[in-house]
Amino acid sequence: MFERNLGPQRRRPPRHVGEVRVEGRRPPPWPLRLLFAAAVVSPLASSWYRAEHKAGVEAQAEEAVRWSLDGDPCPVISAADFAAVSRRAPMTTEFDDARLSRRIGHAQCSRHVYRLDGRKREAQVCDFTGPGALAVETPKALAYWAPLAAARVAIFDGQPRCVQRARFRMGE
């Protein structure tokens, strides 16, 4: 009903395999496109990788400072001195195969890997905000300390080690 007469139509011959269409500018072949894409993407990817690596190194350095065992050793006391610090029963925390008792304050425990004697060693580490007195019992040792303020106890191969720390708030 609404047919238009467009005149004689020029019919395109069927394309054959391998035939190249040449009209206007010819697009560059795919290897050149790939090279161009690599030239654009490569600097972006390498700068992203360097930024991620730097952030990871900084995070590891912060973690090492946060969990360091630097500090003065805690003063050693006897079992009688530990019992005499307070009339209240000690607060005890069991962490793996260790029992850590304190008179006051808060405790926070975790596992951490240290580089000691040229090799990596995993330790049970507990921070105490102000324990007054500490008793640490493992299958291999029993130790009592009276840190002046905060303390960190690390247990390597069943042997506890206590260092004094500056006052801190739990979670810092």
Side-chain angles (χ1 to χ4, degrees):
M1 173 170 169
F2 295 103
E3 291 182 29
R4 269 174 88 183
N5 186 3
L6 298 175
Q9 295 290 317
R10 188 172 126 194
R11 189 162 188 204
R12 291 188 178 173
R15 292 199 173 183
H16 300 288
V17 176
E19 183 180 355
V20 177
R21 181 179 158 197
V22 179
E23 291 178 11
R25 291 184 60 185
R26 183 174 161 186
W30 69 268
L32 289 176
R33 290 181 186 170
L34 186 63
L35 249 143
F36 178 74
V40 170
V41 171
S42 179
L44 295 174
S46 66
S47 66
W48 172 79
Y49 174 78
R50 281 193 305 264
E52 287 293 315
H53 180 70
K54 182 179 178 183
V57 168
E58 289 172 356
Q60 285 178 346
E62 285 179 15
E63 190 73 9
V65 168
R66 178 171 140 64
W67 290 102
S68 76
L69 294 176
D70 294 338
D72 296 331
C74 297
V76 177
I77 60 174
S78 65
D81 293 335
F82 178 78
V85 169
S86 175
R87 288 182 292 181
R88 288 180 31 189
M91 294 178 276
T92 301
T93 302
E94 292 195 21
F95 183 54
D96 290 343
D97 57 350
R99 289 180 53 136
L100 301 114
S101 299
R102 64 192 187 280
R103 287 301 184 176
I104 57 175
H106 301 281
Q108 169 183 320
C109 298
S110 70
R111 292 188 156 279
H112 190 70
V113 176
Y114 290 93
R115 183 169 289 283
L116 295 174
D117 306 327
R119 63 186 176 111
K120 291 183 179 180
R121 296 176 62 189
E122 187 176 43
Q124 300 154 284
V125 183
C126 293
D127 285 338
F128 298 92
T129 55
L134 284 171
V136 179
E137 181 182 355
T138 68
K140 295 182 180 179
L142 177 61
Y144 297 95
W145 294 289
L148 301 176
R152 171 168 290 154
V153 174
I155 303 171
F156 294 98
D157 301 325
Q159 298 298 324
R161 179 189 301 183
C162 179
V163 292
Q164 296 184 65
R165 299 187 56 209
R167 290 192 182 272
F168 70 99
R169 289 178 186 253
M170 202 52 68
E172 289 181 347

